[in-house]
Structures are given as C-alpha cells and as structure tokens.
Amino acid sequence: MATKVLPPKQLQNLRFFITRSLNTSSSSSKTTSAVSPLNLAEKPETPIQEPPTIIQDHAKPPILDFNDHQTLFSNFPTTKLLRASSNLHMVSIGPLVDFGMRVMNSRIMETDNIVRDVVLEAVRHTFYNHFCAGEDVVEARRCIERVNEAGLRVMLDFAVEYTSNNDACDHNLKGFLDSVQSAMSLPPSSVSSVVAKVTAMLPLSLLERVSDLLRWQQRDPSFNLPWKQNSFPVFSESSPLYHTLEKPDPLTPQEEIDLQSGQERLWKLCEKCVQANIPLTVDAEHISVQPAIDYLTYLTAIKHGKNGSPIVYNTIQAYLKDAKERLLLATKAADEMGIPMGFKLVRGAYMSSERKIASSLGYESPIHNSIQETHACYNDCAAFMLENIANSSNAVILATHNVESGRLAATKTIELGIEKRNRKLEFAQLYGMSDALSFGLRNAGFLVSKYTPYGPIQMVIPYLLRRAEENRGLLSSSTIDRDLMRKELKRRLKAAIF
C-alpha cells in the first residue's frame, strides 16, 4: 500500500492536536468532573465529581465563579429551586432509577391501562417538567420566556427521534417547521438555534442502507454511488467500518426516491431557518447511521451556507476515537469550499450500545478507552475550534456539563481575544441540568443556551430515559448542582428564620 503524504496545512493542524493532547491529557487526568452530553444526545461513564474549588486570586478573580451560590441561583424562586433539588436527588438514587427504567421499558407502557396512566402522570409532574419545556409550542414558548428572563438563550428541540415511514417523516417535518415559526415570533436572539434529528425525517432503515454504502465506498473508492453528491468528508483513516462487512446492494429506485425526499425535507427546514435567521443544529446518533447523517447535513450546509455566517451546525461526538480527525477534515473542506460551517461539540450519547456492538462483532470499541481520553479529546476539539473561529467564518457550540472543560474554553477564548458575546461562540447545557455552569458562564459574560426539548410525554420518553441514566448515582453530572442548590436552600431558610 502506498504511503499517503499529508499536505503541509493538514500536517500543521495534526501537530496542533498532538501538542494539545500532550498539554491537556495530564490536566484532564487530574480533573474529576463528570462527562455529559448535549444530545442530548449520552450515557457517560462518570467518575466522582467534587464541587469545583476556586482558588481566589485577589489580583485576578476567577473567570468562572461557583462559590457564590446566592448569585448563581438568584433567578430561581425558592419553590422552583426546591423542586429542582428534589428531582435531581431522586434521579441520583440508582435503585429508584433502575426500577423506573424497567417500568418505562415494560409492556405495561405499550397499551392503555390504569397503571400506565398513573406512571405517565408521575413522570409528568417530576422528570418531564424538570427536563422538558412542555407538550407543544405554546407551552414551550412560556418556558423560553422564563429561560430568557434568566439571561440565557434556548436551543429549541421538537423531541421526536426516530421514524420508519415517509408519512411519519412528513408529519415530523411539520413539527420542526412549527418550531421555527414559533421561534420567529419571539424577540430576536431568544432562540439561538432550532434542533433537528435526521432520523425523524428519513426512515431509519434507509439511513442504515446509505451509511453501509458510504462505508463500502470508503473501503473501495472505485465503488460507484450514482446518487452521491459532493460533500465534506464523513470518514477519517481511523473511522470504524465494521458495521459493513459485506458489499451492500445498490439503492433500489424507490430507495433513491425516498433518499431524495428526505434530503428535500432537510432542505425545506433549512430554508425556513434561513428565512427566520435562526441556525439549524443537527443532532448526532449511533455510528451505524452517523455517516448518512453527516453526509446529508454537510450537503445542506453547502446548499444554504454561503452568506457569511453558518446556518447549519453538525454535531461531533468527542467520545469517538476518530472525532478529532473527522472534525479537522470537515473544517478543512469547508474552508476550501468557502462554506461557513458550524459544529456542536458534545461528548457522546450511546457509549454502552456502541461498545456492545463492537464487542459482539469482535472489534475494538470506537469509544475512547478512558474518561480521561474523552476529556482530552473534547478539550482538544474545543481549543481547535476556538482557534478556527478566531480566523474564519465558522462557528462552534461548546455543549458540555463538565466544569473543567467550560473553564478551559472560557480561558482560551479570552487568550485568543475572542469577544465573549461573539455570535460564533455559544456554550450550551441541557435544560434542567448543569444550571450552575450555565449561570457561571452567563455571569462571566458569555452567550449560553439551554438545549430545551418539547413534545408529548410519550414521544419524549426516550430522551427522559437517557437523562435518568446519566444522572443516576452519586457519580452523576448533577452532583455540583445538587450540592450548590442545597447550600442555597439552607441559606434562604436561615435568612427566613433569622
């Protein structure tokens, strides 16, 4: 096999990542913050997380201050603070979460019955109200207004996830379009982006087929895909290809029609976002379908992103071993084509299932081997994107619940001279999670959004199950919030008594 020689510019970018890895891996190994997604899309492997200790330097105050819980939660009425603390405490009780997940995944929830109704009502008044904005755009609007009053913005997510037929895809598109229309009726900048899942606009089986074909072409570049258009790279040399072990059949004529229909749905949604001047953020999924999602997302960016600022954000999951390389290749291709591109950086959403699939097929896991490696990868990607946006028209959403990652990115932003309110940089956390980090970043002057899903409770169940899983136990990413909320509640109680 011939040795590939990388262009000088790409070698320079690779040297950046190597240097960053050496600099951050040691600091990341000392960090005990938890991993968390914005995807919303995660089932992280979380180490013990202690409340952040800020060493006060009177000559130079800390960029992010978590010591003043009174200021952090000044926008929280006591009743809301009490409910939030109670909900986060409940999802930290492992046996309770395990029992709840077994019930939600049981046959009881598949048919109408009294037990199912009782369970749904209990979920509605606890976890659903804590992690979701409401059942429809009307309820979501009221939630958005409350978030805005707290000095934060909203990434608005119509939380439908998967579909199996074209009629459902058309119905889901209407839901996404309604999200954009609702965002248009709000004050400017209330909504930082509208979130969509490609798996809700194309049948899952078709995305699997397209991903298989793209993987086979990566194995064999002579493999012809007549429907494929010019896009950014969706693989690197290290990307896993084990999902496709045999040469797949070409798309049937009907599958090609369905692919074109799905692509047009995504384009129609993006056109609505262009009209509203609100970016579209596309969520990531399992790597079995991610190649097709990346391909369609980049096609959409190429078609609609030529007006100076990104209108499309693709999601990069840093827990994947090939994440840095794919990010580098995509940004390089976007810069060469003159396409402003946005990226949302998360840690990852499907760690357990990805490892199980790889193991069952006899392959190495595509996930980093340790939490420290995932931290280092995320921080490297964040540093790379910050340097990139300082000198390009690209943009980045740093979606993290990890306090150390937030601190490092905030420090890097200041070092690079990027204005804190620069629209090319947004920090983000899930609605109902990591409020201390959100308010800490807000107080430091940065733009911060809450990823805010809405939809009927039955539709949002998969999302709620992921939130319950990542908050379970004493090692969860909500440890800091629970600790600071308890301190603030104690302070308010003492103030009321004395």
Side-chain angles (χ1 to χ4, degrees):
M1 179 182 293
T3 301
K4 291 190 174 182
V5 179
L6 295 176
K9 185 176 180 181
Q10 192 167 348
L11 283 171
Q12 182 179 359
N13 286 333
L14 285 173
R15 284 198 297 272
F16 167 85
F17 275 131
I18 293 170
T19 303
R20 285 291 306 167
S21 295
L22 290 173
N23 290 338
T24 60
S25 60
S26 60
S27 62
S28 297
S29 65
K30 298 176 185 177
T31 301
T32 56
S33 327
V35 174
S36 171
L38 189 58
N39 196 332
L40 329 155
E42 304 175 28
K43 296 183 180 179
E45 185 180 90
T46 50
I48 296 175
Q49 179 175 0
E50 299 292 340
T53 300
I54 305 297
I55 299 175
Q56 295 286 353
D57 181 346
H58 295 290
K60 186 177 181 181
I63 296 173
L64 302 182
D65 185 1
F66 300 99
N67 295 320
D68 186 358
H69 45 81
Q70 181 177 357
T71 301
L72 286 175
F73 295 109
S74 59
N75 293 99
F76 270 46
T78 300
T79 52
K80 180 179 179 181
L81 192 63
L82 185 60
R83 284 196 302 269
S85 179
S86 299
N87 286 327
L88 290 176
H89 176 70
M90 281 192 291
V91 293
S92 73
I93 303 173
L96 178 62
V97 172
D98 291 339
F99 174 74
M101 293 181 70
R102 284 197 297 271
V103 172
M104 298 305 293
N105 287 314
S106 69
R107 292 184 179 181
I108 294 175
M109 306 303 296
E110 296 177 1
T111 58
D112 290 331
N113 57 74
I114 295 177
V115 175
R116 176 179 180 272
D117 293 341
V118 170
V119 170
L120 288 179
E121 279 305 301
V123 170
R124 183 189 308 278
H125 291 291
T126 52
F127 310 128
Y128 178 83
N129 286 342
H130 183 83
F131 293 115
C132 300
E135 298 233 6
D136 53 33
V137 291
V138 176
E139 293 183 5
R141 181 189 177 97
R142 290 196 288 268
C143 178
I144 293 169
E145 290 171 348
R146 292 193 297 271
V147 173
N148 291 161
E149 288 172 1
L152 307 174
R153 310 205 294 171
V154 163
M155 297 175 66
L156 187 58
D157 172 36
F158 176 57
V160 62
E161 299 208 350
Y162 304 108
T163 189
S164 58
N165 61 75
N166 287 316
D167 289 340
C169 291
D170 291 333
H171 176 76
N172 294 339
L173 172 61
K174 183 181 182 304
F176 290 126
L177 292 172
D178 288 344
S179 291
V180 182
Q181 188 63 43
S182 177
M184 290 174 66
S185 67
L186 292 163
S189 298
S190 298
V191 175
S192 58
S193 69
V194 169
V195 182
K197 284 184 175 286
V198 174
T199 51
M201 286 183 281
L202 281 89
L204 194 62
S205 59
L206 179 58
L207 290 172
E208 290 171 345
R209 289 272 290 125
V210 171
S211 295
D212 280 338
L213 290 161
L214 291 171
R215 274 190 289 265
W216 196 262
Q217 189 182 63
Q218 177 69 8
R219 289 178 181 269
D220 178 9
S222 67
F223 185 56
N224 183 41
L225 300 177
W227 44 266
K228 185 180 178 184
Q229 303 176 50
N230 185 31
S231 181
F232 304 156
V234 300
F235 300 106
S236 72
E237 291 294 331
S238 63
S239 293
L241 304 175
Y242 54 76
H243 287 84
T244 310
L245 299 177
E246 296 181 356
K247 183 178 180 179
D249 294 329
L251 294 181
T252 66
Q254 184 60 50
E255 285 176 326
E256 289 198 26
I257 293 172
D258 290 345
L259 177 60
Q260 181 64 31
S261 297
Q263 183 175 292
E264 289 174 357
R265 290 186 195 100
L266 190 57
W267 287 358
K268 185 174 182 179
L269 176 58
C270 191
E271 288 167 1
K272 185 74 171 179
C273 288
V274 171
Q275 177 187 348
N277 194 29
I278 298 173
L280 172 65
T281 298
V282 177
D283 269 342
E285 288 293 336
H286 302 86
I287 60 174
S288 61
V289 295
Q290 192 60 44
I293 293 172
D294 287 344
Y295 166 73
L296 292 167
T297 302
Y298 291 144
L299 274 186
T300 304
I302 292 170
K303 181 176 176 64
H304 295 284
K306 298 181 181 179
N307 296 321
S309 60
I311 195 66
V312 178
Y313 286 73
N314 195 27
T315 299
I316 300 292
Q317 300 181 98
Y319 72 170
L320 296 173
K321 294 175 181 176
D322 68 341
K324 290 189 295 189
E325 296 173 359
R326 289 190 296 107
L327 176 62
L328 187 152
L329 291 170
T331 53
K332 181 175 182 293
D335 291 343
E336 289 177 348
M337 294 179 65
I339 304 296
M341 186 70 210
F343 292 93
K344 181 183 75 171
L345 297 183
V346 302
R347 277 175 166 79
Y350 309 103
M351 183 174 70
S352 298
S353 59
E354 298 289 16
R355 284 178 169 167
K356 287 178 181 177
I357 292 173
S359 177
S360 68
L361 295 173
Y363 285 85
E364 179 183 339
S365 171
I367 308 296
H368 286 297
N369 297 328
S370 70
I371 194 68
Q372 289 78 18
E373 290 178 5
T374 296
H375 284 322
C377 181
Y378 184 94
N379 294 334
D380 285 351
C381 290
F384 171 77
M385 282 307 304
L386 288 172
E387 293 204 356
N388 183 275
I389 68 172
N391 300 287
S392 73
S393 57
N394 297 327
V396 65
I397 299 171
L398 298 178
T400 182
H401 297 167
N402 184 288
V403 170
E404 181 66 7
S405 290
R407 185 189 66 78
L408 288 172
T411 302
K412 183 75 171 179
T413 299
I414 294 171
E415 289 174 353
L416 291 171
I418 300 173
E419 293 184 5
K420 292 180 179 179
R421 310 294 289 182
N422 191 322
R423 293 302 178 91
K424 294 192 293 183
L425 168 63
E426 188 98 15
F427 288 90
Q429 289 78 43
L430 295 173
Y431 180 76
M433 288 179 61
S434 294
D435 288 330
L437 179 56
S438 298
F439 294 139
L441 288 162
R442 176 207 63 185
N443 293 345
F446 294 97
L447 292 174
V448 184
S449 285
K450 301 298 278 188
Y451 182 108
T452 308
Y454 75 93
I457 187 169
Q458 296 91 333
M459 185 179 80
V460 183
I461 290 298
Y463 177 85
L464 292 176
L465 290 175
R466 291 201 297 274
R467 301 294 75 76
E469 174 66 20
E470 75 187 73
N471 281 282
R472 69 188 303 277
L474 296 176
L475 310 185
S476 75
S477 59
S478 61
T479 303
I480 291 176
D481 274 5
R482 295 201 309 272
D483 180 73
L484 292 174
M485 285 178 179
R486 281 195 297 268
K487 290 180 179 179
E488 176 58 13
L489 285 169
K490 288 180 181 178
R491 186 200 66 80
R492 294 185 187 187
L493 179 60
K494 289 181 180 178
I497 294 175
F498 301 106

